[in-house]
Amino acid sequence: MSSHSSALVPLETWAFSGPDLYAQGRGIDIGLFAEALIYYDTVYVVPGNAHCFSLFLQWFEAQGRLDLFRDLVEDGVIKIYDYSFITAAVENDGTYMIMNL
């Protein structure tokens, strides 16, 4: 049984994850991350790629809170979880599938 003490939060937006934010030109879903911080003791952040991770750090910097990010990482509240694969839409003869590559 799950303790509901931690959450896995993907940051990256794309056509199949955060499509409204993606359409607005936003590369990450900071709202999903912020909500997870309210409800969970530990948030595993999935950066997606280096660009998205840099947008995440830039958001903290723009708030003047890069030191808070560092403190949350040191305290184990934020943990970085990087998959060894990517998820992408793949087309084959006009049929699209979402696959883990």
Side-chain angles (χ1 to χ4, degrees), residues 53-70:
F53 189 62
S54 73
L55 292 175
F56 184 56
L57 294 177
Q58 288 174 34
W59 182 87
F60 277 96
E61 179 64 29
Q63 309 305 312
R65 303 300 263 158
L66 199 52
D67 56 336
L68 175 63
F69 173 78
R70 186 194 68 238

Side-chain angles (χ1 to χ4, degrees), residues 9 11 29-40 43 56 59:
V9 177
L11 293 177
D29 188 349
I30 202 70
L32 183 61
F33 165 74
E35 186 175 4
L37 280 178
I38 293 170
Y39 294 108
Y40 299 95
V43 177
F56 184 56
W59 182 87

